[in-house]
Each structure stands twice: as structure tokens, then as C-alpha cells.
Amino acid sequence: MSAENLHVGVIGATGAVGVELINVMFDRNFPVGELTLFASERSAGKTLETKYGTKTVTLFSVEEARKCDIVFLAVSGDFAKEYAPQIAAGDGALVIDNSSAFRLNDDVPLIVPEINGDLAKTAKLIANPNCTTAIAAVALWPLHQAFGLKKVFVSTYQAASGAGQPGMNELREGLAAGLKGEEIKAEVFSHPLAFNVIPHIDSFQENGYTREEMKVTWETRKIFGVPDLAISCTAVRIPTERTHSESIVVETEKPVTPQAARDVLAKAKGVKLVDNPEKLEYPMPINATKQYDVEVGRIRTNLIFGDHGLELFVAGDQLLKGAALNAVQIAEASIA
């Protein structure tokens, strides 16, 4: 594939991730020669204002999508399962899928470019990780390389936008209703999110974890190439609009100090070290929002694992590194 004047397709261009995909490609000067925005019959023919100018939305068909060099999918897993293999087959397009449809398929690479971007050069169908996984992986991979990860415990603080634009709308409406003393309704989330936290994201599994929590375990193992990595997660939805945060505890194979960890993370790709408690500087969603890098801070020796343990706090924009940015970086790696 030529690295110039690529024909790029986006399926799901009107959703939160689709909008960010277009913005990120433009901001990073991705070599787009032609941009086609695909949608269902309901939206086909409508115009959409983008950084590339006004675009008329095209009715999706496999035949038209296969004419592209790269197709980004920002739609449901069911759609991806049905159409992604058809778009990518033979001499079709490179497909980068943001859904969970193919993440755990052995023959589909699951890529965070800072870790395993070389896999993008030979694949025709690539899976983008779960947003929570991608954010954690960027922070954990440098530590794993330097000190070896033995055990990982993750507690997440996930924003409403993890449920897309409907989730953000429900939070805003709930906050407005609550401030007026009115009933706070819950349709997108399992309970009212405004003025609340919900320790439940995705469906519960037989082991008591939710699927969101297990995704962190399953996907991190695959991305790191460590199938037996001991990793456990509790995923919690909180009433912020955008950007996920995570509290992470690790036990390491080699001895580690907070300063040694800071030195490693300060040089890591995709990481911004924000760790100055004396000046009240630490990762927060309000600062990490719309930033490409994952903020990492609150680095300290874990009281249980001692000189083989660390605690840290991360914040990353799940619409960017957790979705759109990571997908564009995969595309960049495929043509590098």
C-alpha cells in the first residue's frame, strides 16, 4: 500500500469515535487522498461537516468499502462480524475495527502500536483494544519491560462517554434533573449515573466479574504476549463526561523503586509523567481530556509487595488513546 493519497473509509462517522477518527487523521496529517464516510440508508445522502470540508455520506456496501485502502469501523460488533471479513478479503481494504468482535481471535492481531505495532504491517483485519485496556497497557508495558509484571490489580473510574454520545447525554440530563430536585432517569446505564458511581459495566459473567473487567485481563495478556499474566480488574462508571482513570497496583519480578519507575515512564512513548504531589500535580480527567498521551502519576511503593511492588494512577482519553488515536496509529504503523 502506498503511503500517499490513501482512500480512507469510515463506517460510523457520526458517532463519538467516528468523529474523533476524522479529527485525529486530519490533525496528524495522515495521508488521506480521498475520504468516504459510510452509513446506513437512513443517513446516506446527508452532509457532514468535517475538518476535510463538507462530506456527503455514502450508503454502505461491501463493494464500495472494498475500493478503499483503509476502512475504520466505529460501529457495533455484530456489524463488524458480518462485514469486516468481507471488506478485507483478498485484495480488499485494510480493516481496523474498534468493536470487540475480533479482539480475542487468534488470527486477528490486537494492537497497541507502542507495544506490538509491527503486527500491523502484514494483517488485513486488525482489532483495536478495549479503551480501558489500551490506557492501562501504555502505562504498564514500559514497567513490564523494565521490571517484569507478576501480578496486576486494576480499579477503573470510567467516564460516561464510554457508553458513547447517549451516555454523555444521559449524564448531562441527569445532572440537570438532580440539581432541580427532579427524578434522575436511567436508560443507558443500569442505574442513575449523576451524583452516583456504578460498579457495573457490561454484562456479568459466571465468575462474578463483568465482561468489561475480563476484557482487561484477556486483552492485556494477548497484547503483551503473556497468556498467564495474573491480572484482575474492577470496573466502575463515574459521573464524569470524558476520559477514563485507573488505579493500578503491580507486583514485579525484579526489585523496583518509585524513582526507577518514574525514570522508565518519563521516556516511554505515549506516556506523560505527571507526578509531583507537593505541587498537587497528578493525573486527572480534566487535564488528560483531548490529550494524546496517557498521564501517569501517584507512583509509590506498594505497602504489601514492598520493594517488588508499585501503585500508580493513570488518566487517558478513552475516545483518543482508548479508541480513535490508537486506530489511526495502527494505520500509520501499517504504512510505515
Side-chain angles (χ1 to χ4, degrees), residues 76-279:
S76 71
D78 289 340
F79 183 100
K81 285 179 181 178
E82 181 174 357
Y83 293 111
Q86 298 179 50
I87 298 170
D91 60 352
L94 165 63
V95 177
I96 301 172
D97 177 34
N98 278 276
S99 81
S100 61
F102 302 101
R103 290 173 184 160
L104 301 179
N105 287 28
D106 290 339
D107 58 346
V108 177
L110 180 65
I111 295 178
V112 174
E114 292 88 347
I115 301 171
N116 57 350
D118 57 306
L119 299 178
K121 294 184 179 299
T122 55
K124 287 297 296 294
L125 173 57
I126 298 172
N128 210 25
N130 172 268
C131 53
T132 314
T133 303
I135 292 165
V138 170
L140 289 174
W141 178 249
L143 299 176
H144 179 60
Q145 287 185 299
F147 310 107
L149 296 182
K150 187 175 179 182
K151 296 175 183 175
V152 181
F153 302 89
V154 181
S155 297
T156 76
Y157 307 81
Q158 296 181 223
S161 52
Q165 192 63 48
M168 291 188 280
N169 293 343
E170 183 164 293
L171 174 61
R172 284 175 173 253
E173 291 164 5
L175 290 169
L179 290 171
K180 295 176 183 177
E182 299 173 354
E183 178 188 2
I184 301 174
K185 297 180 181 179
E187 295 178 357
V188 176
F189 302 110
S190 53
H191 298 277
L193 181 59
F195 307 103
N196 192 24
V197 296
I198 306 172
H200 170 203
I201 302 175
D202 212 329
S203 57
F204 281 98
Q205 308 295 290
E206 289 186 2
N207 63 359
Y209 286 80
T210 65
R211 185 166 178 80
E212 177 79 5
E213 292 161 350
M214 292 309 303
K215 285 176 186 176
V216 174
T217 297
W218 296 329
E219 294 179 19
T220 304
R221 287 171 172 173
K222 180 176 179 179
I223 295 165
F224 281 21
V226 184
D228 59 349
L229 178 63
I231 178 168
S232 176
C233 177
T234 298
V236 180
R237 187 76 70 189
I238 67 170
T240 53
E241 188 170 67
R242 179 166 171 164
T243 297
H244 293 347
S245 301
E246 304 172 24
S247 174
I248 303 176
V249 177
V250 300
E251 182 185 11
T252 57
E253 298 281 357
K254 300 177 182 177
V256 61
T257 65
Q259 189 55 50
R262 291 186 194 100
D263 292 342
V264 167
L265 291 166
K267 297 179 288 187
K269 293 181 179 179
V271 170
K272 180 181 181 182
L273 187 64
V274 183
D275 194 24
N276 192 345
E278 291 183 359
K279 295 185 177 180

Side-chain angles (χ1 to χ4, degrees), residues 35-115:
L35 177 64
T36 301
L37 309 182
F38 293 103
S40 64
E41 192 170 346
R42 182 182 62 184
S43 299
K46 295 181 179 179
T47 58
L48 193 65
E49 296 300 323
T50 76
K51 289 187 174 183
Y52 292 94
T54 303
K55 295 291 180 181
T56 300
V57 178
T58 299
L59 177 64
F60 168 77
S61 72
V62 171
E63 181 181 1
E64 288 301 313
R66 284 176 58 82
K67 294 177 182 178
C68 298
D69 296 303
I70 298 174
V71 172
F72 294 100
L73 295 187
V75 287
S76 71
D78 289 340
F79 183 100
K81 285 179 181 178
E82 181 174 357
Y83 293 111
Q86 298 179 50
I87 298 170
D91 60 352
L94 165 63
V95 177
I96 301 172
D97 177 34
N98 278 276
S99 81
S100 61
F102 302 101
R103 290 173 184 160
L104 301 179
N105 287 28
D106 290 339
D107 58 346
V108 177
L110 180 65
I111 295 178
V112 174
E114 292 88 347
I115 301 171

